[in-house]
Amino acid sequence: MLGNVIAFKQFSVTKGLFGSPWVGFDQFERFFGSYEFWRLLGNTLSISFYTLIASFPFPILLAIGLHYATNERFKKTVQMVTYAPYFISLVVLVGLLLQFLDPRTGVLNAMLGWFGVEPINFMAEASMFQSIYVWSHVWQNVGFACIIYLAALAGIDPSLHEAGVMDGASKLQRIWHIDIPSIMPIAVILLILNTGTVMETGFEKILLMQNSLNLRTSEVIDTYVYKVGLISQALNFSYATAIGLFKAVIGFILIVVVNGAAKKMGQESLW
């Protein structure tokens, strides 16, 4: 927390944290007035909300499917296949993506070629970057994310399902009226927590997937901070810290707003 003071100073390594002069909100005004501000904010929010919406339902659907699977071998196989991508290093994962999407040797372009489609350089298409990022994220995390829902489903009182069967409820009706309401409090809590990280877009993965051709849609606040704060010719720690503090404040506000909305709707909340 003390390091955030740098955001309000013109930090100099030689003068130190306390010796550097105060500049107030100059760093924030510089960022808000930058011609890149709206592009960075738009890319960050679009990727974050796209990821949030796309990745929210799939762990629930997978957990319900596994919960009702009767063949243990099939169930364990699906669990292993869906959990495994989570443990793949991001560097390896992006390397696999680049290989699959390669316009000359990629598997996807080879399959498109069977239908007479010309090879597509997916990573050079700025309009495709966000979809590639989001759906590869879903593929990598869906198996691991469903674990908490499996635990919640396992904790449902069996007598509720027994009563449903006795009343003639179908499996789909029991899922809709018993399972989903039972795991909804967990889903709301996770949604609130994920909303608080909406300004965090997975810096490492985006940086690895980024190139000069897709920079228009791939440049987000995290990668911009890295470039201006650590690898630029003129290192500006104060400017980078101010941007990071701005992100943290937005995340805090979103958590408070979504938590309040959940309470008003009668759902579970963090406080």
Side-chain angles (χ1 to χ4, degrees), residues 168-187:
S170 65
K171 186 176 292 185
L172 187 60
Q173 288 173 322
R174 284 186 284 129
I175 290 173
W176 184 255
H177 294 287
I178 298 175
D179 293 328
I180 292 181
S182 297
I183 65 176
M184 191 54 64
I186 300 294

Side-chain angles (χ1 to χ4, degrees), residues 158-171:
S159 64
L160 294 175
H161 283 284
E162 292 171 2
V165 172
M166 292 293 293
D167 289 338
S170 65
K171 186 176 292 185

Side-chain angles (χ1 to χ4, degrees), residues 56 64 69 83 86-87 121 124 153 170 190 192 194 199 238 267:
F56 182 71
I64 291 174
Y83 293 173
Y86 181 81
F87 300 99
N121 190 352
L153 288 169
S170 65
L190 291 176
I192 293 172
N194 289 334
M199 299 295 284
S238 296
Q267 298 294 335

Side-chain angles (χ1 to χ4, degrees), residues 62 66 72-88 139-140 142-144 146-147 150:
L62 178 61
L66 291 174
E72 284 297 319
R73 178 174 293 182
F74 172 78
K75 182 177 180 178
K76 290 181 179 179
T77 301
V78 172
Q79 284 179 316
M80 182 187 69
V81 171
T82 55
Y83 293 173
Y86 181 81
F87 300 99
I88 299 176
W139 167 69
Q140 185 182 18
V142 64
F144 192 80
C146 86
I147 293 175
L150 281 173

Side-chain angles (χ1 to χ4, degrees), residues 183-242:
I183 65 176
M184 191 54 64
I186 300 294
V188 172
I189 292 294
L190 291 176
L191 181 61
I192 293 172
L193 293 173
N194 289 334
T195 303
T197 60
V198 76
M199 299 295 284
E200 305 289 336
T201 51
F203 155 76
E204 298 91 347
K205 185 179 176 183
I206 289 182
L207 188 67
L208 291 168
M209 294 175 63
Q210 202 173 72
N211 59 54
S212 58
L213 297 175
N214 61 33
L215 202 61
R216 177 171 58 85
T217 56
S218 65
E219 186 78 296
V220 294
I221 293 177
D222 283 337
T223 56
Y224 180 72
V225 168
Y226 169 70
K227 290 172 183 176
V228 300
L230 292 177
I231 64 173
S232 66
Q233 292 280 335
L235 301 180
N236 196 329
F237 298 114
S238 296
Y239 186 52
T241 304

Side-chain angles (χ1 to χ4, degrees), residues 240-260:
T241 304
I243 300 173
L245 184 58
F246 163 72
K247 282 176 43 191
V249 171
I250 296 298
F252 174 73
I253 292 172
L254 285 172
I255 282 186
V256 172
V257 170
V258 176
N259 188 75

